[in-house]
Structures are given as structure tokens and as C-alpha cells.
Amino acid sequence: MPNLTFYISADHSDRFTDQPYFTYRCRKLCNEILGAEPEKVHIIYVDVRTGCGHPVYAELFYRLTKWRTPEVMEKFMCELDLAIQQNTGLLARIRCFGSTETQIFARH
């Protein structure tokens, strides 16, 4: 796990100019802050037509663990926010959703 999805307003998707580096940076945050195994990180970009709200909405689904404390998650969100702003100049809404292992079902 973690699954990090960026919903980007189609009007602003051109602001993600260096997507490979940005992806690398986000993956590194998942590895170093969240302790995720590199092969378990998924990062997805979705262009959307925004009705209202921020031009970027970042959504993280992750497995709850004893070391992913509120302080760790706050650090992750701060670092992700900084990465988004540095890469795009845009302000993003960031939301993180944790699930217990017994509530996660997956294949592959």
C-alpha cells in the first residue's frame, strides 16, 4: 500500500512539468516517512474537471500501523504539500485515509 492519487484540474495539469522527478519525490516520501516498501507504493495522476475547490486534490490511502502516528502523518502531509508547491506553484487539498489490515482486500 500506500496509494497516492492526485486529482488535477485539467486547467492546471500542465503545471506538473517534471512528472518523473515529482513521482520519485513522492515515492521517496512514502518510503522514508511512512516506511512503505518501494514496490508497494502506487502513485496515480488523474485529470479532472473541477467544479469548485483547489486545483489539486491529493488523496492517500494507507495501512494503519503503530509507527504511522498522527505526528508522522502530519510530517508526510507537510512534506507532500511542499513538494506540490515547489513542483507546480499550486495549493493542494491533501487528505489521508488509514485502514486496518483486516479491512484491506487486494490482489496483485
Side-chain angles (χ1 to χ4, degrees):
M1 207 157 169
N3 296 315
L4 179 58
T5 303
F6 293 94
Y7 297 92
I8 306 157
S9 170
D11 298 336
H12 295 91
S13 62
D14 61 334
R15 303 284 285 274
F16 282 80
T17 57
D18 192 354
Q19 191 171 334
Y21 175 71
F22 182 70
T23 300
Y24 164 79
R25 191 169 173 188
C26 292
R27 185 177 192 174
K28 190 173 177 184
L29 292 174
C30 291
N31 299 146
E32 293 179 359
I33 297 175
L34 300 180
E37 297 175 38
E39 68 277 1
K40 303 272 176 123
V41 177
H42 292 89
I43 299 173
I44 302 162
Y45 300 92
V46 180
D47 286 341
V48 297
R49 291 183 0 186
T50 305
C52 64
H54 295 277
V56 179
Y57 174 76
E59 185 175 76
L60 176 76
F61 286 92
Y62 67 98
R63 180 177 290 122
L64 290 170
T65 64
K66 63 182 176 183
W67 61 86
R68 292 179 182 156
T69 63
E71 295 80 17
V72 167
M73 297 311 299
E74 179 64 26
K75 180 178 180 181
F76 174 80
M77 289 189 293
C78 286
E79 292 295 324
L80 182 62
D81 189 37
L82 180 63
I84 294 167
Q85 287 185 37
Q86 288 176 341
N87 185 261
T88 67
L90 299 171
L91 184 62
R93 176 164 305 266
I94 301 170
R95 295 289 182 263
C96 300
F97 302 94
S99 297
T100 63
E101 193 169 325
T102 60
Q103 295 174 320
I104 298 172
F105 304 92
R107 287 181 47 176
H108 308 284

